[in-house]
């Protein structure tokens, strides 16, 4: 690279053709001076592009090359390529990403040999293209694809003719026509910008890992963050959404010299598509939507922090996003540490139940619909078929699995693994077959088991059924008696039982029971100055443990009707719920009739403390608010469908959203309904737990609760966060509706943004705010079935998918219905206490 070599450029401002034209028409001469690049898509030696308006534009006006400053405060100048006719200004390539120009005197020119030079005001080269070949009459041309190529004027536009092309020097964007991987002697990968203001190379890269069988990986520095796996003829095995596409041809090329991924447009009118790795390391697949004039986000890699994340499950385990427990051992394997597995720590992975001996009779078990394990230490041969592949694997004792190396989609090719199988994932519909080696004794056992099952099926008789039922009945009666008896047992026995019930009772299980004395010491004997607040479930105190850790202790108020054992079991389950948007429950404490829950302490109090306070509202800028809405949505999605338990919160409200040091939201008080028991099902619901203003109609009126009643509460929260106003107690001069009614009225009148809190829009754009209002309204629909579920909400928030029109929300007016039908019951609401218990009106 000749980056800081200074040279004197010869600059001619007008091209030869233009100067000929001058003689005839002064008018167009002037035009050419003002906008000399107006139709040009190329520069030749002698011509140049100067900062301050000069650009070249590709045929069809799709891309433009020139100088720019990134958004924000940056004054640095870069030479780059961006979209022109749509999404104007979205930069796809930067030449001098590491060496910005400090003023607006940059100049791009081409030497007679066909080398592009970027010069600064002192005529020093700060960036240059390189080229092994040279041309007689070189020309640099910006193509319709966004590729800037240098070639001989007379040569056609094919890759082999290029002396240099910008597609060989990718920045953060992968476009159709580019190659990702190893091609013509180069490693081609995309890398994030340092920040939105600095196109310099950031930490995140996305490209092909050539070790073993080539696979697509996203990395931070040198460590893999997520792995899309090898190509299987249609898609990368770990890219769930990408499907064959009529407009683009996706392919993966693998031969002795090259291994690259490639997208080809089938015609020039294809929908614009790009992949971009952003500053946070997310790789987004974006498609230009003409209808909305926006980029639609179709698939984001690395966003799902669960199964997408590299090594979420350890070796020999598969991740399945649809399972209650994410990771499970593959057949014939068991957790290495049952204790960790129970605590939802899967990193240790699984081990074989019966080890391989490499003896006679070893064979394979088939796993369908898998994302293939990490191929970085695998072996392959593209000309072997599946049968030869199996033979080859069997013959080598250290071979643990095999499958097709189906890159071309022809179904042939052999891929072998040696050693551990890591980072597997299971899909409901896509994925590939994987054949995993099993010991002879295991296969034998399976065979016998299958045979026995068959015999059992055949030999089963009415007598057997009766007998079985009798035994079951007896067992059930005995079990019931034992249960009754058990609930009177003391805690010590329960704990002992708890340990015993675990499969691996020789391990030291950590039950999160915290001593009462520890708690009294930490909270200075529940001193009133340590009191953080009071809610429906009890009083919360701040405490500091002797090691300095700050905790929040919730002293549960009512005498729980639940037995001690049930209480501890529930706590055990809830302790395992872990998500960055949930407050972490550290443990519990039991003393006499008292029940206490111990949580991590959140320094920034709760959302209501900020959002409803005139003086503090502005701390929550729009970007933060959107982030909070997204966080709550993710936390709630985890509770509803991703966690091992399916939890309905039932008391979602601003005061139950706590904020950490960085103002990230964490949902608190989840699982309380389980801890309080008593109203688990619709049938025996006689009390409604919840808070005025957040309760869904069907819940308040009929006591029906479901995930959809949480969605209603979420919708109210969203509208409160956007407006900075409480739903309950909202007043307007124009009408008597509550906040929901107000939002609906503005929506119907076509001015939804007037709902938004009155403050500068900052970096959040208005359409984002409007989208939140739209989603908020969809969540507070009167009929539960009209409300989206949480995963839809998360998707709606993240992407540009079209939203349905909302209907009139539930509890539209100031809900006289609610006020009348509810009595203050056994727990009157006080000023400080937002949570209240309403008697069911039936
Ligand atoms: C131009 O680039 C050279 C080499 O990088 C550098 O030393 C010089 O300071 C730059 N001049 C200006 C005005 O930025
Ligand atoms: C850079 O080159 C231009 C054109 O040859 C010349 O006019 C200018 O004086 C040069 N600037 C410096 C600092 O050498
Ligand atoms: C696409 O457009 C370019 C420039 O107009 C043209 O050279 C090329 O042949 C077109 N390709 C197809 C497939 O239509
Ligand atoms: C791949 O397999 C074919 C067919 O079995 C064989 O002829 C060839 O030598 C193998 N190549 C390598 C590198 O093992
Ligand atoms: C088994 O495969 C490994 C890895 O390719 C190789 O190092 C080893 O020599 C092979 N062993 C036999 C017996 O072929
Ligand atoms: C190989 O890929 C093709 C599609 O590209 C698919 O139809 C076929 O089922 C695959 N074969 C195997 C054995 O996975």
């Amino acid at each position: 690279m000749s980056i800081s070599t200074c040279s004197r450029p010869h600059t001619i401002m007008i091209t030869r053709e233009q100067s000929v034209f001058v003689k005839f028409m002064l008018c167009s001469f002037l035009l050419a001076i003002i906008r000399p690049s107006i139709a040009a898509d190329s520069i030749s030696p002698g011509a140049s592009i100067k900062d301050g308006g000069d650009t070249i534009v590709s045929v069809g006006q799709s891309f433009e090359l020139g100088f720019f400053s990134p958004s924000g405060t940056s004054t640095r100048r870069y030479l780059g390529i961006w979209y022109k006719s749509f999404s104007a200004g979205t930069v796809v390539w930067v030449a001098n990403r590491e060496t910005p120009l400090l003023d607006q005197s940059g100049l791009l020119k081409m030497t007679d040999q066909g080398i592009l030079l970027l010069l600064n005001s002192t005529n020093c080269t700060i960036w240059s293209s390189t080229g092994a070949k040279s041309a007689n009459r070189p020309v640099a041309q910006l193509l319709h694809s966004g590729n800037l190529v240098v070639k001989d004027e007379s040569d056609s536009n094919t890759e082999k003719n290029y002396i240099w092309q910008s597609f060989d020097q990718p920045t953060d964007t992968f476009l159709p026509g580019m190659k990702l991987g190893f091609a013509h002697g180069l490693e081609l990968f995309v890398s994030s910008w340092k920040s939105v203001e600095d196109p310099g190379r950031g930490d995140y890269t996305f490209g092909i890992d050539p070790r073993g069988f080539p696979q697509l990986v996203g990395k931070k520095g040198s460590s893999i963050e997520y792995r899309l796996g090898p190509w299987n003829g249609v898609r990368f095995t770990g890219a769930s959404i990408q499907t064959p596409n009529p407009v683009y041809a996706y392919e993966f090329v693998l031969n002795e010299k090259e291994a690259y991924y490639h997208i080809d447009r089938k015609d020039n009118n294809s929908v614009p598509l790009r992949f971009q790795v952003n500053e946070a390391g997310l790789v987004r697949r974006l498609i230009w939507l003409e209808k909305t004039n926006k980029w639609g986000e179709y698939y984001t890699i690395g966003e799902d922090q669960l199964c997408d994340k590299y090594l979420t499950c350890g070796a020999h385990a598969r991740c399945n996003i649809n399972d209650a427990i994410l990771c499970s051992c593959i057949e014939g394997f068991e957790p290495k540490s049952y204790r960790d597995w129970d605590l939802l720590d899967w990193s240790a992975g699984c081990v074989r139940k019966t080890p391989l001996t490499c003896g006679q009779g070893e064979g394979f078990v088939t796993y369908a619909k898998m994302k293939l394990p990490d191929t970085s230490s695998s072996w392959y041969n593209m000309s072997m078929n599946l049968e030869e592949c199996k033979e080859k694997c069997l013959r080598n004792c250290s071979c643990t699995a095999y499958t097709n190396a189906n890159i071309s989609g022809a179904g042939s090719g052999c891929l072998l693994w040696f050693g551990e199988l890591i980072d597997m994932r299971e899909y409901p519909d896509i994925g590939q077959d994987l054949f995993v080696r099993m010991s002879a004794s295991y296969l034998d056992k399976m065979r016998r088991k299958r045979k026995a099952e068959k015999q059992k099926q055949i030999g089963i008789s009415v007598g057997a059924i009766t007998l079985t039922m009798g035994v079951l009945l007896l067992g059930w009666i005995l079990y019931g008696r034992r249960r009754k008896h058990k609930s009177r047992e003391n805690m010590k026995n329960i704990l002992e039982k708890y340990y015993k019930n675990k499969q691996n009772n020789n391990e030291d299980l950590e039950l999160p029971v915290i001593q009462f004395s520890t708690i009294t010491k930490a909270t200075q004997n529940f001193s009133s100055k340590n009191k953080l607040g009071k809610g429906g479930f009890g009083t919360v105190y701040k405490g500091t443990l002797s090691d300095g850790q700050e905790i929040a202790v919730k002293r549960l108020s009512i005498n729980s009707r639940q037995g001690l054992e049930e209480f501890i079991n529930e706590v055990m389950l809830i302790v395992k719920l872990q998500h960055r948007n949930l407050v972490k429950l550290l443990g519990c404490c039991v003393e006499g009739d008292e029940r206490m829950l111990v949580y991590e302490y959140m320094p920034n109090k709760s959302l209501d403390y900020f959002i409803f306070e005139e003086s503090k509202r502005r701390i929550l800028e729009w970007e933060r608010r959107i982030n909070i809405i997204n966080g709550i949505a993710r936390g709630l999605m985890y509770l509803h469908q991703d966690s091992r338990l399916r939890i309905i919160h039932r008391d979602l409200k601003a005061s139950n959203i706590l904020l950490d040091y960085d103002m990230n939201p964490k949902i608190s008080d989840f699982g309380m309904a389980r801890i309080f028991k008593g109203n688990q099902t619709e049938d025996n619901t006689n009390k409604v737990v919840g808070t005025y203003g957040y309760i869904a109609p069907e819940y308040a009126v009929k006591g029906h609760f479901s995930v959809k009643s949480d969605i209603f509460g979420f919708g109210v929260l969203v509208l409160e966060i956007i407006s900075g106003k409480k739903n309950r107690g909202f007043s307007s001069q124009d009408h008597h509706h509550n906040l929901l009614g107000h939002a609906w009225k503005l929506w119907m009148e076509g001015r939804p943004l007037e709902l938004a809190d009155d403050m500068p829009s900052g970096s959040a754009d208005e359409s984002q705010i409007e989208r939140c209002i739209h989603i908020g309204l969809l969540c507070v629909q009167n009929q539960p079935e009209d409300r989206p579920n949480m995963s839809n909400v998360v998707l709606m928030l993240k992407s540009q998918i079209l939203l349905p029109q909302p209907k009139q929300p539930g509890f539209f007016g100031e809900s006289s219905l609610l006020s009348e039908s509810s009595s203050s019951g056994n727990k009157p609401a006080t000023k400080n206490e937002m949570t209240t218990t309403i008697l069911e009106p039936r």
Side-chain angles (χ1 to χ4, degrees):
M1 287 221 213
S2 56
I3 277 183
S4 56
T5 1
C6 284
S7 66
R8 286 181 54 82
H10 325 271
T11 318
I12 299 169
M13 278 308 301
I14 336 165
T15 61
R16 266 168 246 150
E17 294 82 351
Q18 279 165 344
S19 45
V20 170
F21 217 44
V22 151
K23 292 170 187 163
F24 300 97
M25 245 173 159
L26 184 69
C27 185
S28 39
F29 170 72
L30 281 175
L31 196 73
I33 287 290
I34 298 161
R35 317 246 346 239
S37 61
I38 199 135
D41 70 342
S42 51
I43 45 176
S44 5
S48 66
I49 295 180
K50 241 177 32 177
D51 195 355
D54 285 5
T55 58
I56 56 172
V57 177
S58 67
V59 168
Q61 303 270 307
S62 47
F63 290 94
E64 183 168 27
L65 174 132
F67 290 87
F68 73 99
S69 288
S71 63
T73 58
S74 177
T75 54
R76 298 164 170 215
R77 304 291 289 171
Y78 296 89
L79 176 74
I81 297 174
W82 54 84
Y83 290 101
K84 164 93 175 156
S85 57
F86 59 90
S87 187
T90 301
V91 174
V92 296
W93 182 75
V94 184
N96 54 324
R97 66 188 303 195
E98 304 292 352
T99 49
L101 290 153
L102 304 176
D103 55 23
Q104 297 215 1
S105 52
L107 181 95
L108 177 73
K109 61 169 211 158
M110 193 167 64
T111 66
D112 294 335
Q113 290 73 41
I115 294 184
L116 290 168
L117 298 177
L118 181 58
L119 305 178
N120 70 8
S121 59
T122 48
N123 293 338
C124 285
T125 305
I126 61 155
W127 172 87
S128 70
S129 68
T130 48
K133 295 184 285 189
S134 67
N136 291 332
R137 286 159 57 216
V139 63
Q141 189 182 8
L142 181 60
L143 303 183
H144 184 63
S145 59
N147 195 4
L148 176 67
V149 303
V150 178
K151 55 162 195 146
D152 198 283
E153 209 171 31
S154 56
D155 280 344
S156 63
N157 271 327
T158 55
E159 197 163 39
K160 69 174 182 0
N161 292 333
Y162 299 153
I163 297 170
W164 178 86
Q165 56 173 333
S166 65
F167 276 8
D168 277 350
Q169 192 188 323
T171 52
D172 70 336
T173 303
F174 179 70
L175 293 172
M178 286 173 85
K179 291 176 176 174
L180 194 69
F182 295 80
H184 30 86
L186 297 168
E187 181 180 0
L188 305 167
F189 59 91
V190 288
S191 54
S192 65
W193 286 19
K194 277 203 177 80
S195 70
V196 285
E197 287 176 19
D198 183 357
R201 179 167 297 162
D203 286 344
Y204 298 97
T205 57
F206 191 63
I208 300 294
D209 183 345
R211 296 171 299 164
F213 193 55
Q215 56 179 345
L216 187 60
V217 295
K219 290 196 211 173
K220 182 181 185 185
S222 59
S223 60
I224 297 179
E225 289 270 293
Y226 32 84
R227 189 182 67 85
L228 268 77
W231 186 254
N232 70 4
V234 180
R235 61 171 75 79
F236 291 98
T237 72
S240 53
I241 294 174
Q242 185 181 321
T243 47
N245 184 306
V247 215
Y248 286 104
Y250 301 88
E251 62 168 350
F252 195 93
V253 172
L254 180 65
N255 53 45
E256 284 82 46
K257 284 191 194 142
E258 296 179 311
Y260 65 85
Y261 173 55
H262 185 240
I263 304 176
D264 240 343
R265 304 164 172 259
K266 290 183 183 162
D267 65 61
N268 275 342
N269 301 321
S270 312
V271 202
L273 165 79
R274 68 186 166 115
F275 284 80
Q276 188 218 9
V277 51
N278 73 6
E279 307 76 47
L282 302 181
V283 182
R284 300 180 302 162
R285 177 164 168 257
L286 300 156
I287 290 176
W288 182 255
L289 303 173
E290 237 165 42
K291 247 193 227 146
T292 57
N293 254 343
K294 269 188 188 141
W295 288 100
E297 199 169 320
Y298 277 86
Y299 180 43
T300 304
I301 304 153
E303 184 189 39
D304 158 14
Q305 287 292 307
L306 303 168
C307 283
D308 260 0
K309 191 131 181 92
Y310 186 57
L311 285 184
T312 286
C313 309
H316 303 126
R318 57 180 164 210
C319 198
N320 189 334
I321 199 87
N322 295 319
D323 279 357
I325 304 171
L326 280 186
C327 301
S328 51
C329 294
I330 56 173
E331 204 190 312
F333 290 75
E334 62 187 352
K336 194 165 182 182
S337 157
Y338 272 99
R339 175 177 176 268
D340 291 348
W341 209 259
D342 274 345
L343 295 173
L344 307 188
D345 173 2
W346 305 291
S347 56
C350 306
V351 290
R352 276 181 197 280
K353 286 181 182 159
T354 49
L356 294 175
T357 56
C358 202
Q360 279 288 312
E362 280 188 355
F364 297 90
V365 169
T366 310
Y367 298 89
K369 297 174 183 149
M370 299 293 278
K371 164 180 164 186
L372 297 181
D374 194 339
T375 53
S376 59
S377 56
S378 63
W379 176 95
Y380 66 95
N381 177 329
M382 298 308 287
S383 49
M384 281 164 82
N385 65 29
L386 203 57
E387 200 46 45
E388 292 168 333
C389 194
K390 180 179 177 181
E391 282 306 309
K392 175 135 184 117
C393 189
L394 265 183
R395 279 200 308 273
N396 186 323
C397 289
S398 50
C399 177
T400 46
Y402 76 93
T403 190
N404 285 115
N406 196 9
I407 275 193
S408 62
S412 64
C414 174
L415 181 52
L416 301 182
W417 281 266
F418 303 92
E420 288 187 329
L421 305 173
I422 59 178
D423 197 48
M424 286 180 281
R425 180 171 181 174
E426 190 177 41
Y427 290 109
D429 43 12
I430 61 164
Q432 212 177 324
D433 286 352
L434 177 71
F435 308 90
V436 178
R437 188 185 197 122
M438 287 292 154
S439 70
S441 65
Y442 179 82
L443 290 173
D444 199 40
K445 207 160 78 196
M446 293 314 293
R447 229 170 277 131
R448 277 205 307 268
K449 204 164 141 193
R450 261 201 304 274
K451 209 165 145 193
E453 261 163 26
K454 224 177 220 160
Q455 276 168 356
K456 211 157 86 195
Q457 269 168 13
I458 296 162
I460 207 152
S461 71
V462 178
I465 293 173
T466 322
L467 186 67
T468 317
M469 285 184 58
V471 170
L472 281 178
L473 192 66
L474 190 66
W476 184 68
I477 291 168
L478 288 177
Y479 179 66
R481 287 206 173 153
R482 254 183 72 221
R483 268 175 80 82
K484 263 201 190 128
H485 177 62
K486 241 192 200 171
S487 64
R488 283 193 288 272
E489 283 174 350
N490 64 20
M491 185 151 143
K492 189 160 169 284
N493 287 342
I494 293 166
L495 293 187
E496 274 171 11
K497 284 238 169 60
Y498 183 81
Y499 287 114
K500 254 187 223 143
N501 280 343
K502 292 290 145 191
Q503 310 198 24
N504 224 11
N505 56 358
N506 54 356
E507 282 199 54
D508 189 20
L509 267 161
E510 226 174 275
L511 194 77
V513 172
I514 296 164
Q515 292 293 318
F516 187 63
S517 59
T518 310
I519 304 261
T520 48
K521 201 164 142 219
T523 59
Q524 298 172 296
N525 207 7
F526 301 102
S527 97
S528 56
K529 75 175 190 336
N530 279 348
K531 194 160 142 181
L532 291 172
K534 195 167 179 326
F537 298 113
T539 312
V540 185
Y541 297 87
K542 184 184 170 182
T544 310
L545 297 177
S546 55
D547 65 1
Q549 188 186 358
E550 293 181 317
I551 54 172
V553 179
K554 173 160 271 188
R555 203 174 186 181
L556 300 182
S557 52
I558 43 172
N559 302 326
S560 170
R561 282 189 233 128
Q562 202 181 16
L564 186 56
E565 180 179 8
E566 281 170 293
F567 174 73
I568 287 177
N569 279 339
E570 285 305 327
V571 171
M572 279 307 300
L573 289 172
I574 289 164
V575 155
K576 288 176 191 164
L577 295 178
Q578 295 197 3
H579 188 274
R580 66 195 146 141
N581 295 115
L582 298 183
V583 173
K584 196 162 157 50
L585 177 62
L586 302 172
C588 67
C589 171
V590 176
E591 175 77 12
D593 278 346
E594 289 227 49
R595 308 272 192 270
M596 276 162 272
L597 297 172
V598 180
Y599 293 96
E600 63 176 332
Y601 173 71
M602 285 292 124
N604 269 333
K605 308 208 174 166
S606 52
L607 184 58
D608 61 332
Y609 178 78
F610 288 93
I611 202 88
F612 302 137
E613 294 282 333
E614 196 57 51
S615 56
K616 305 195 193 77
R617 274 220 306 263
R618 278 163 189 257
I619 298 174
L620 295 183
E621 301 150 354
W622 282 116
E623 205 177 341
R624 283 217 171 108
R625 292 193 195 192
I626 305 266
N627 178 44
I628 287 171
I629 290 172
N630 279 317
I632 300 170
R634 274 187 240 115
L636 205 55
M637 178 167 90
Y638 175 82
L639 286 178
H640 283 178
Q641 50 204 79
D642 289 347
S643 71
R644 150 159 150 168
L645 307 167
R646 269 158 220 277
I647 295 223
I648 303 174
H649 189 298
R650 302 217 273 177
D651 197 14
L652 209 58
K653 57 181 170 181
S655 59
N656 271 339
I657 306 297
L658 307 188
L659 299 169
D660 73 2
Y661 280 101
D662 301 321
M663 292 285 182
N664 291 313
K666 291 188 181 237
I667 301 172
S668 75
D669 265 5
F670 52 89
M672 292 310 274
R674 290 186 67 113
I675 285 187
F676 278 96
K677 282 278 154 88
N679 40 14
Q680 281 291 53
T681 66
E682 280 182 20
D683 288 344
N684 63 3
T685 300
N686 51 15
K687 279 196 336 178
V688 171
V689 183
T691 302
Y692 286 134
Y694 294 93
I695 302 176
E698 75 280 4
Y699 185 21
V701 176
K702 297 190 204 132
H704 288 183
F705 67 82
S706 66
V707 287
K708 290 298 179 74
S709 26
D710 268 1
I711 305 283
F712 188 92
F714 173 79
V716 175
L717 252 177
V718 169
L719 296 173
E720 289 187 334
I721 293 170
I722 296 292
S723 64
K725 301 197 177 62
K726 277 184 189 157
N727 183 28
R728 186 162 184 257
F730 174 85
S731 68
S732 159
Q733 286 151 347
D734 305 344
H735 55 75
H736 300 291
H737 303 319
N738 61 11
L739 180 66
L740 306 189
H742 183 56
W744 174 241
K745 190 166 177 291
L746 292 174
W747 181 267
M748 288 304 284
E749 290 163 9
R751 43 193 187 119
L753 278 170
E754 284 176 34
L755 183 73
D757 205 351
D758 177 23
M759 62 178 201
S761 72
S763 57
D765 69 76
E766 288 185 344
S767 68
Q768 223 174 343
I769 298 171
E770 188 175 327
R771 198 168 171 88
C772 284
I773 296 171
H774 194 160
I775 294 168
L777 282 171
L778 289 174
C779 290
V780 296
Q781 296 290 285
N782 194 35
Q783 295 300 323
E785 56 275 16
D786 288 341
R787 299 172 209 151
N789 65 27
M790 225 44 224
S791 55
N792 289 141
V793 170
V794 168
L795 190 71
M796 288 172 174
L797 285 167
K798 275 306 308 176
S799 69
Q800 297 295 334
I801 54 171
L802 218 57
L803 305 179
Q805 277 304 311
K807 304 178 200 162
Q808 176 173 310
F811 284 156
F812 163 79
E814 180 53 74
S815 64
S816 52
L817 167 75
L818 180 58
S819 317
E820 279 158 21
S821 69
S822 58
S823 90
S824 39
N826 49 1
K827 275 198 88 284
T830 65
K831 268 201 191 115
N832 310 341
E833 201 177 334
M834 281 287 293
T835 300
T836 189
T837 308
I838 322 166
L839 284 177
E840 201 256 338
R842 274 182 300 184

